[in-house]
Amino acid sequence: MTKLLTETHGAVSLIRVNDPATRNALTMEMIDGLCEALTREETRARAIVLAGRPEAFCAGANLGGPGGGIKPGETDLGGSVARHLNPLVRKARDLAVPLICAVQGCAAGFGVSLALLGDLIVTGESAYFAVAFGKIGLVPDGGAPWLLTKAVGRARAMEMMLLGDKVTAPQALAWGLVNRVVADEQVEAEALAMATRLAGGSGNALRLTRQAAWAACGSTLDEELALEIENQRAAGLHPDFAEGVAAFLQKRAAKFG
C-alpha cells in the first residue's frame, strides 16, 4: 500500500497520509516523504491541502509498528527530530503556496504539530487533538510548544501539553486552534474549496503574506514593519499588482498568472 498519495484538483494538490493500520502514524521515512511531496507540489500547484483518513489525520510518530524503528533507551530521538521532523516543519513554514490542513479523526503527538502547520485548518465535528507526550515519557516535538503557545496562549498550551487530554473540534474552534469545524464528511470538500479560492488569487501576494505572518510569530513589531517594506516593494513591482489594479478599475475579476 502506498502510504503517501497525491491527488490533483485543478490548481490544487492534495497530499494524503494513507496508513490505516497505524492510524497514519508516521515513520521517519514517511516524514521525509512528506517533505519531498511538499517540495515537489509547491512547484506544481497554487495551493496544497494536507489530509489523512476519516479515522485519523495523523496519530503521531510510529513508535513500534512496522517501519517505526524507534527503540526506547537506544534510539537517539534528538537526532531523529533534527534529521527528519525539523526539516518537515521548516518546509511547511517556508512553502511558496498556501497550505490547508484537513483534519478528520485524531491528530495526536506530532500529528498536532503537522495540523498546526497549516495556514488554514479545517476539522470534522468528531475530530480531536491530543498532545500526550508526557504519558510515554517524552516531550512535545515538531515545534508543538511554540505552535500551541502562539495559537492558544500559554495557559491553554500548558494544559494541552501537561495534562495530555483530548481537545475536541468544537473546543479547538473556541480556543482559536482551528479555523472551521464542518460535518465529518465535508472536511475535504471544504478544504479543497478554500484551496481553490486561494489558487485563484495572486500567488506572489499570498506567498509574501504567509511569509510575513509566520515571521510575525517570532519577531518584534519593528522587525515586522521592516519586512513589510521589503514585501510591499516586491509586490508592487510584480505583474500581479498591475493586473489586480487593472481588474479593479475595469470592474472585472483579476486573472493572475
Side-chain angles (χ1 to χ4, degrees):
M1 175 184 292
T2 302
K3 296 181 179 180
L4 293 175
L5 304 173
T6 302
E7 305 169 11
T8 299
H9 298 261
V12 175
S13 287
L14 186 150
I15 301 171
R16 184 186 308 283
V17 183
N18 181 50
D19 191 10
T22 67
R23 301 180 79 201
N24 283 348
L26 299 173
T27 64
M28 297 302 108
E29 182 180 4
M30 290 171 68
I31 289 172
D32 292 345
L34 268 178
C35 195
E36 292 168 4
L38 289 172
T39 300
R40 180 183 67 245
E41 297 307 316
E42 72 174 336
T43 67
R44 300 178 178 180
R46 295 177 64 88
I48 296 173
V49 172
L50 179 60
R53 295 178 53 84
E55 67 272 15
F57 175 71
C58 174
N62 189 323
L63 295 176
I70 295 177
K71 298 180 180 179
E74 299 179 30
T75 302
D76 175 9
L77 292 184
S80 296
V81 167
R83 290 189 301 272
H84 304 285
L85 275 66
N86 288 358
L88 175 57
V89 171
R90 292 190 175 103
K91 177 76 256 182
R93 179 197 63 188
D94 296 335
L95 280 174
V97 299
L99 175 65
I100 299 174
C101 288
V103 180
Q104 299 183 74
C106 81
F110 179 65
V112 174
S113 296
L114 197 59
L116 293 183
L117 288 168
D119 301 312
L120 298 170
I121 306 165
V122 181
T123 67
E125 292 173 333
S126 64
Y128 66 86
F129 300 82
V131 190
F133 287 84
K135 294 181 180 179
I136 58 170
L138 291 178
V139 298
D141 55 24
W146 188 90
L147 290 165
L148 284 169
T149 301
K150 294 296 181 183
V152 300
R154 184 191 61 80
R156 285 171 172 162
M158 285 289 195
E159 180 176 344
M160 290 183 70
M161 292 186 291
L162 296 179
L163 297 180
D165 294 336
K166 294 180 180 179
V167 173
T168 64
Q171 188 176 7
L173 182 64
W175 282 8
L177 192 67
V178 303
N179 296 94
R180 296 184 187 176
V181 175
V182 299
D184 291 336
E185 64 273 16
Q186 293 298 316
V187 172
E188 288 189 14
E190 180 71 13
L192 285 168
M194 294 170 73
T196 299
R197 178 179 173 185
L198 290 171
S202 166
N204 183 62
L206 290 172
R207 177 181 61 83
L208 294 173
T209 298
R210 73 184 303 278
Q211 178 190 82
W214 279 105
C217 291
S219 63
T220 65
L221 176 58
D222 285 337
E223 289 169 336
E224 176 63 21
L225 292 174
L227 179 60
E228 287 176 11
I229 292 172
E230 297 306 314
N231 282 349
Q232 201 69 300
R233 178 177 291 124
L237 295 173
H238 196 276
D240 280 359
F241 177 52
E243 166 60 12
V245 171
F248 174 77
L249 295 175
Q250 296 166 22
K251 295 181 171 49
R252 61 173 174 81
K255 298 178 181 179
F256 296 114

